Amino acid sequence: MTYEELVAKLQSAYGKHDASRIKDHLAIQFNVRGEADGALYLEILDGKIYVEPYEYYDRDILVTISAENLIALAEDKLDVLDAYNNGLLTAEGDLGKALLLKDIVVKKEEEPKKTVAEKVTSTVSTAKAVAKAAATAATTAAKKPAGKGGCKNKCK
């Protein structure tokens, strides 16, 4: 993976996240080591997430990490605290602010809005299915022999 591909992948991954709960400004510079070596930053400003392929000199935190682990963080497959505790990343600066990353949540995919006609069709289909199930149950009940409820085995 190239550096440019890494930046694009992170922009896409973080584009699926919601940072609206974060009211503080947060700037993290990531120094990526190994594959896709280079520096980039993640900034949260006014509840929006920005990932850019530049160094950020007025950062809150400087994180050194591999591209693979950075992608895992972005895709919520790796917890930032677990990564730090397990030596998968090193960090300098305001580590408390790094925990704000835990407040970023993946956006839920919205269901497409239904038109009034689609809602009516759906409701009518559901009503027909319920009516058919009730009719089937009534027919089945009517066919059972009287007495012990139609048991084939020993009923008490």
Side-chain angles (χ1 to χ4, degrees):
M1 166 182 332
T2 67
Y3 173 79
E4 291 79 13
E5 291 170 333
L6 172 64
V7 172
K9 190 163 193 160
L10 292 172
Q11 288 170 333
S12 174
Y14 277 113
K16 298 173 185 168
H17 287 70
D18 177 9
S20 62
R21 295 184 346 192
I22 300 175
K23 303 305 177 201
D24 295 348
H25 176 261
L26 175 64
I28 302 174
Q29 178 177 320
F30 292 101
N31 287 344
V32 180
R33 297 293 175 243
E35 183 181 17
D37 188 62
L40 58 104
Y41 74 87
L42 177 142
E43 180 179 30
I44 297 175
L45 180 63
D46 298 327
K48 294 189 170 105
I49 304 170
Y50 304 93
V51 176
E52 298 298 334
Y54 311 107
E55 291 186 42
Y56 198 108
Y57 294 108
D58 193 23
R59 62 189 170 250
D60 298 302
I61 307 156
L62 172 64
V63 174
T64 304
I65 190 169
S66 70
E68 179 183 359
N69 288 330
L70 184 52
I71 291 168
L73 282 175
E75 294 176 344
D76 292 329
K77 295 177 182 172
L78 179 64
D79 180 76
V80 67
L81 196 53
D82 290 341
Y84 179 77
N85 288 333
N86 292 314
L88 300 176
L89 66 83
T90 60
E92 302 171 21
D94 187 349
L95 300 181
K97 275 199 153 185
L99 294 179
L100 290 174
L101 291 175
K102 292 174 111 9
D103 290 335
I104 297 173
V105 295
V106 176
K107 293 178 190 173
K108 292 188 178 180
E109 301 225 2
E110 293 182 17
E111 289 185 30
K113 303 229 180 217
K114 290 184 177 180
T115 65
V116 172
E118 290 171 326
K119 288 178 185 177
V120 169
T121 301
S122 176
T123 303
V124 168
S125 295
T126 302
K128 285 180 179 177
V130 169
K132 185 176 180 180
T136 302
T139 302
T140 302
K143 290 181 180 178
K144 283 188 179 177
K148 296 187 178 187
C151 292
K152 292 182 182 176
N153 297 325
K154 297 177 184 176
C155 295
K156 296 182 181 186

